[in-house]
Amino acid sequence: MRAATVLSHPLPLPAIAASKHLRNQTRSSIQFSFPPLRPAFRVSPLKYHRESQKRGLRVTDGLEPKIAESSEEDPTERKSGGSSNSDPGWIRAFPHVLTASMSNFLFGYHIGVMNGPIVSVARELGFEGSPILEGLVVSIFIAGAFFGSIGCGSLADKLGCRRTFQIATVPLILGAIISAQAHSLEEILGGRFLVGLGIGVNTVLVPIYISEVAPTKYRGSLGTFSQIGTCLGIIASLLLGIPSETDPHWWRTMLYLASLPGVVLTLGMQFAVDSPRWLYKVGRIEDAKSVIYNLWGPSEVEKAIEEIQGVVKSDGNDRGGTWLELLEQPHSRVAFVGGSLFLLQQFAGINGVLYFSSLTFKDVGITSSVLPSIFIGIINFAGALSALYLIDKEGRKKLLIGSYLGMALSMFLVVGAIRLPLEEQLSHITSILGTLLYIYTFAIGAGPVTGMIIPELSSSRTRGKIMGFSLSVHWVCNFLVGLFFLDMVEMYGVAPVYAAFGSMSLLSAIFAHYFTVETKGRSLEEIEMSLK
């Protein structure tokens, strides 16, 4: 379960002549509107030029288009970036975000696909009764995800996120099919490892891609679709896993079905756009203008190209930086905060709480292992929908801090239910309420914001590598929590372990307060220049 920024006091903006909009940009309130526009995937450069001429946009052979002077234009509209009719809102970027979020659907699906049928898998493949091997089959994809996260940054710099998405679907599809056809422990481990390799790549790419193609004022709301995709994937795998309780071979069908979203993702990315930032860096300037015109609106073309140009000139002409640059300022600060946020997110106990929640429900008489998981998945989904509404209104930092404070309160509520001399039924109900509150508050902030704010704070030069490093920390911590959680519960009891989770949540809130900055309503280029 992922989600998963950075300096508490940004430095003043440097005076860059090519980026005057960065210095003059004002903060405006964000309105989540639904303009009745038809979504479109791509606009060719030729169509861009024709439409530009119709709208009075004179495109030169240089780096940026010039807006033709018009006596009929309202000066206040020009200052604010054009009339409301020229703002396509979120709807044009939505198909591309939805396609990318299919990767997170796959991530969520593979989280839950082995939880129910693992007993049937172990019995059929001959390792029944070995908790170590059963745990290895469930979690082997974490090892693959680690290597996928580390290795995808350079690939994305060279090929762009869109093509890298398509490449990453190859191990996802092959791994699912190999796992479904497995007749030995080695085969299913190999298939699960391949799945993890693709998952690791995609968990890095999704937040980068969404942050770079989404309009600035809807970037947060659209970014939450990664968490929504994960929630829906988990729920889908749990629902599809219900027949496995009566059909011992149903797990093969579930793994075959896991290959279908990979096919959909491959085909969908064929029609999606490349990031305009990446297009500009590789010299495809007209294509970058077309994407901006199509997704963000004609009024944003000149301003966006000017900002991207200023950042590219400041960073140099290389498509991507080296790993050694993560040791230099300001990249080292962002990498430190990114890794720390994922470490704190995992050690705040989300995976442990999810695992132990089924036992909590059994205490009140719910014996089914599937129904509690589905209910928890729905609560998780409700939290993600709340984040969709709140993130561009309240901001990332406030949501992150509030999320961790809510998680801490929830854990201490569960500890109180265990430790205080309450009636047994009241104690169980309080424990369930605390667990559900914990999952809901996690899904509001700690889940989606952690992964979203890191690419927002990273420079375009090192964005892929910082995300790769941060996610590799996530996978290592994820593995460690899963490895030692049950042993810690057995040694110390549930209450001390949950109290440790609550204390870590408080520490995470303090860290977010002092080490993150608000990115709401600011373009990626403005954020990057402010942190230099």
Side-chain angles (χ1 to χ4, degrees), residues 257-374:
L257 291 174
S259 64
L260 297 181
V263 175
V264 173
L265 178 62
T266 303
L267 296 176
M269 276 296 159
Q270 190 62 33
F271 298 96
V273 297
D274 283 302
S275 159
R277 275 97 177 180
W278 179 81
L279 289 171
Y280 191 99
K281 284 196 296 183
V282 298
R284 295 167 57 182
I285 299 171
E286 292 303 319
D287 288 337
K289 293 177 182 178
S290 299
V291 172
I292 295 170
Y293 180 94
N294 184 33
L295 299 189
W296 304 352
S299 62
E300 295 293 323
V301 176
E302 178 184 20
K303 174 184 171 183
I305 290 296
E306 187 175 331
E307 292 183 350
I308 296 172
Q309 177 189 2
V311 167
V312 170
K313 284 184 177 180
S314 176
D315 286 344
N317 295 325
D318 294 339
R319 295 186 187 182
T322 64
W323 282 101
L324 291 177
E325 289 185 45
L326 269 60
L327 302 177
E328 303 172 359
Q329 295 289 1
H331 313 304
S332 62
R333 292 178 294 183
V334 180
F336 164 73
V337 175
S340 298
L341 283 176
F342 272 118
L343 182 148
L344 292 169
Q345 181 204 59
Q346 290 302 302
F347 286 155
I350 179 61
N351 288 310
V353 173
L354 287 173
Y355 180 87
F356 206 75
S357 60
S358 59
L359 300 180
T360 305
F361 278 87
K362 285 182 180 179
D363 288 337
V364 294
I366 301 177
T367 57
S368 172
S369 60
V370 176
L371 290 179
S373 298
I374 293 175

Side-chain angles (χ1 to χ4, degrees), residues 118-138 184-186 188-189:
I118 185 59
V119 175
S120 299
V121 175
R123 184 181 301 115
E124 187 168 344
L125 299 185
F127 56 92
E128 185 180 12
S130 175
I132 295 178
L133 292 180
E134 290 180 6
L136 185 61
V137 170
V138 172
S184 68
L185 174 64
E186 291 75 14
I188 197 166
L189 288 177

Side-chain angles (χ1 to χ4, degrees), residues 319-435:
R319 295 186 187 182
T322 64
W323 282 101
L324 291 177
E325 289 185 45
L326 269 60
L327 302 177
E328 303 172 359
Q329 295 289 1
H331 313 304
S332 62
R333 292 178 294 183
V334 180
F336 164 73
V337 175
S340 298
L341 283 176
F342 272 118
L343 182 148
L344 292 169
Q345 181 204 59
Q346 290 302 302
F347 286 155
I350 179 61
N351 288 310
V353 173
L354 287 173
Y355 180 87
F356 206 75
S357 60
S358 59
L359 300 180
T360 305
F361 278 87
K362 285 182 180 179
D363 288 337
V364 294
I366 301 177
T367 57
S368 172
S369 60
V370 176
L371 290 179
S373 298
I374 293 175
F375 187 64
I376 288 171
I378 293 173
I379 296 296
N380 198 4
F381 178 64
L385 289 180
S386 300
L388 170 69
Y389 176 78
L390 293 172
I391 195 163
D392 278 327
K393 293 181 178 294
E394 301 299 329
R396 283 66 154 160
K397 185 172 182 176
K398 185 183 296 186
L399 219 56
L400 191 61
I401 295 172
S403 172
Y404 277 119
L405 291 176
M407 291 163 63
L409 175 63
S410 305
M411 286 293 91
F412 294 139
L413 183 63
V414 176
V415 172
I418 296 173
R419 290 295 193 188
L420 295 177
L422 303 176
E423 293 182 2
E424 184 178 357
Q425 190 69 16
L426 178 60
S427 176
H428 292 330
I429 293 176
T430 305
S431 296
I432 289 178
L433 290 177
T435 300

Side-chain angles (χ1 to χ4, degrees), residues 89-244:
W90 58 272
I91 194 70
R92 290 187 179 180
F94 179 72
H96 312 277
V97 171
L98 187 64
T99 303
S101 299
M102 183 63 67
S103 300
N104 285 81
F105 179 87
L106 268 170
F107 173 44
Y109 188 88
H110 282 288
I111 287 176
V113 72
M114 279 295 172
N115 285 349
I118 185 59
V119 175
S120 299
V121 175
R123 184 181 301 115
E124 187 168 344
L125 299 185
F127 56 92
E128 185 180 12
S130 175
I132 295 178
L133 292 180
E134 290 180 6
L136 185 61
V137 170
V138 172
S139 60
I140 185 63
F141 83 98
I142 294 178
F146 173 82
F147 291 106
S149 298
I150 287 290
C152 78
S154 300
L155 193 62
D157 289 335
K158 293 179 181 178
L159 302 179
C161 288
R162 188 169 68 91
R163 291 301 180 199
T164 309
F165 269 123
Q166 293 179 312
I167 293 173
T169 59
V170 175
L172 282 170
I173 295 172
L174 288 179
I177 294 175
I178 291 173
S179 299
Q181 296 179 340
H183 290 88
S184 68
L185 174 64
E186 291 75 14
E187 289 177 348
I188 197 166
L189 288 177
R192 293 283 288 170
F193 181 85
L194 285 176
V195 167
L197 199 65
I199 291 295
V201 173
N202 286 342
T203 52
V204 172
L205 292 180
V206 172
I208 293 177
Y209 181 78
I210 294 178
S211 69
E212 292 193 351
V213 303
T216 296
K217 65 180 181 178
Y218 305 110
R219 192 175 60 233
S221 298
L222 292 174
T224 59
F225 277 93
S226 60
Q227 180 74 7
I228 291 173
T230 302
C231 296
L232 291 177
I234 293 173
I235 294 173
S237 67
L238 294 174
L239 290 174
L240 288 173
I242 293 177
S244 67

